[in-house]
């Protein structure tokens, strides 16, 4: 039996994802809920958020006896949990099933806003303080090498970040996520993980003061350009790219093409703000490093 070339399989899959979004599309059950009822009460979402919040609150209270967690980190964690709740619990997740703009807004929160806020809070040290000393030390020895290897691979993290964003905005993948709850949950998890990986690699270079800020700036600009191109494509396309949303948008009382244009604008403009802010911080860090050591080599 002859083996099918991998390139043929990849090409066929790409054609299906781009050209046959109706293949998996499923109709909505009815109109979207009103804003006051747009809750997504899923154990797959609520349980991890509740465990993380409880562990952080316990660690924060224990650390108060030793000076406590800095206020800026506690505020960053609070804002991160708030935006995660907005994206996953109320109301974006409910409306993402009807509007492409809500879908994009949810992804931008999980990919570009919640991860840097969560990482700026340094939650791992706070949560580790809730563990017995031996368990905390063992987990540190186990996770530190993995975290170091992940955050050092900035190029790979950037590639995964961009690929995840583009993959889940292909028409076919949009249709699949609308038709399957398990795919939808997997999509959200992959977007959040891709965001955490990318931003952990970027923020490591912001905190390191070792000249790596230039590489992080390049990664941010690359991600912004790819995201901006996709946003512009959605904004200026004269035809509907997501036919799976046609009937769903009508149920919400919105024109599907205008909703797609709004989705592109959200990705193009507000979605780029976190990248721009962190990029400016990296430029400032780079200038300070050069002033401190004019002969320093920028990596």
């Amino acid at each position: 039996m002859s083996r099918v070339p991998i390139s043929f399989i990849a090409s066929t899959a790409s054609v299906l994802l781009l050209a046959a979004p109706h293949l998996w599309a499923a109709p909505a059950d009815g109109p979207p809920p009103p804003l006051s009822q747009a809750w997504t009460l899923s154990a797959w979402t609520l349980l991890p958020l509740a465990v993380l919040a409880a562990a952080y609150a316990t660690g924060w209270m224990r650390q108060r006896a030793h000076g406590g967690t800095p206020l800026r980190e506690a505020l960053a964690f609070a804002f991160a949990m708030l935006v995660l709740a907005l994206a996953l619990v109320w109301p974006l997740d409910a409306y993402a099933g009807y509007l492409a703009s809500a879908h994009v807004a949810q992804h931008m929160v999980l990919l570009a806003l919640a991860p840097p806020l969560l990482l700026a809070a340094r939650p791992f040290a706070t949560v580790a303080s809730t563990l017995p000393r031996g368990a905390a030390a063992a987990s540190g020895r186990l996770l530190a090498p993995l975290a170091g290897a992940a955050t050092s691979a900035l190029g790979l993290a950037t590639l995964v970040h961009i690929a995840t964003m583009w993959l889940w905005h292909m028409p076919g993948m949009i249709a699949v996520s609308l038709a399957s709850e398990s795919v939808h949950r997997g999509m959200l998890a992959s977007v959040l993980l891709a965001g955490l990986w990318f931003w952990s690699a970027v923020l490591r270079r912001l905190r390191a003061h070792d000249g790596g800020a230039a590489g992080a700036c390049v990664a941010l600009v690359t991600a912004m350009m790819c995201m901006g191109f996709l946003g512009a494509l959605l904004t200026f396309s004269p035809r509907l790219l997501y036919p799976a949303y046609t009937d769903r948008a009508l149920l919400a009382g919105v024109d599907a093409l205008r909703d797609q244009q709004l989705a592109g604008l959200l990705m193009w403009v507000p979605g780029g703000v976190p990248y721009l802010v962190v990029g400016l911080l990296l430029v400032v860090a780079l200038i300070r490093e050069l002033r401190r050591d004019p002969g320093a080599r920028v990596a």
Side-chain angles (χ1 to χ4, degrees):
M1 180 177 179
S2 61
R3 183 172 298 177
V4 179
I6 296 178
S7 59
F8 175 77
I9 297 175
S11 301
T12 304
S14 299
V15 170
L16 289 174
L17 291 175
L18 289 169
H22 282 301
L23 186 61
W24 302 281
D29 295 332
L35 186 62
S36 61
Q37 300 176 19
W39 296 90
T40 302
L41 303 179
S42 168
W44 293 101
T45 300
L46 294 176
L47 186 59
L49 290 179
V51 169
L52 178 59
Y56 187 89
T58 303
W60 180 77
M61 293 180 65
R62 288 186 177 181
Q63 288 184 342
R64 290 180 64 185
H66 306 284
T69 303
L71 179 61
R72 64 180 181 277
E73 294 183 4
L75 289 175
F77 182 82
F79 279 116
M81 296 302 294
L82 175 62
V83 297
L84 283 173
L86 290 174
L88 300 173
V89 181
W90 178 91
L92 288 179
D93 192 61
Y95 288 133
Y98 295 87
L99 300 171
S101 55
H103 176 95
V104 167
Q106 183 184 41
H107 280 202
M108 290 300 99
V109 169
L110 296 177
L111 196 68
L113 184 57
L117 284 173
L118 192 60
L119 293 167
R122 301 176 187 261
F124 307 109
T126 302
V127 171
S129 67
T130 65
L131 302 174
R133 185 171 300 179
S139 62
R141 288 192 299 269
L142 176 64
L143 296 177
L146 297 175
T151 55
S152 64
L154 177 60
L156 183 58
T158 304
L159 179 61
V160 170
H161 190 79
I162 295 170
T164 301
M165 176 177 61
W166 274 82
L167 174 66
W168 289 116
H169 288 92
M170 287 184 174
M173 295 306 292
I174 292 279
V176 173
S177 67
L178 290 174
S180 170
E181 181 64 21
S182 59
V183 173
H184 176 68
R185 291 294 154 196
M187 171 189 67
L188 297 179
S190 68
V191 170
L192 181 58
L193 288 173
L196 287 170
W197 186 10
F198 173 77
W199 288 104
S200 63
V202 169
L203 294 180
R204 176 187 178 184
R205 284 150 181 82
L206 178 61
R207 294 165 174 163
H209 305 295
D210 59 357
C217 284
V218 172
L220 286 170
V221 170
T222 302
M224 282 185 65
M225 289 178 62
C226 293
M227 183 172 62
F229 179 77
L230 180 56
L233 180 64
L234 297 179
T235 302
F236 296 112
S237 175
R239 65 184 183 89
L240 189 65
L241 299 177
Y242 299 139
Y245 270 115
T246 303
D247 295 335
R248 292 168 176 264
L250 288 176
L251 287 173
V254 177
D255 178 75
L257 183 58
R258 291 186 178 182
D259 178 52
Q260 177 181 289
Q261 293 169 346
L262 176 59
L265 285 173
L266 289 173
M267 183 182 294
W268 194 8
V269 184
V273 171
Y275 299 85
L276 183 60
V277 170
V278 176
L280 291 174
L281 293 176
L282 284 164
V283 170
V284 171
L286 184 59
I287 292 173
R288 287 178 177 174
E289 185 67 22
L290 291 175
R291 285 181 176 178
R292 187 181 304 113
D293 184 5
R297 178 169 162 264
V298 178

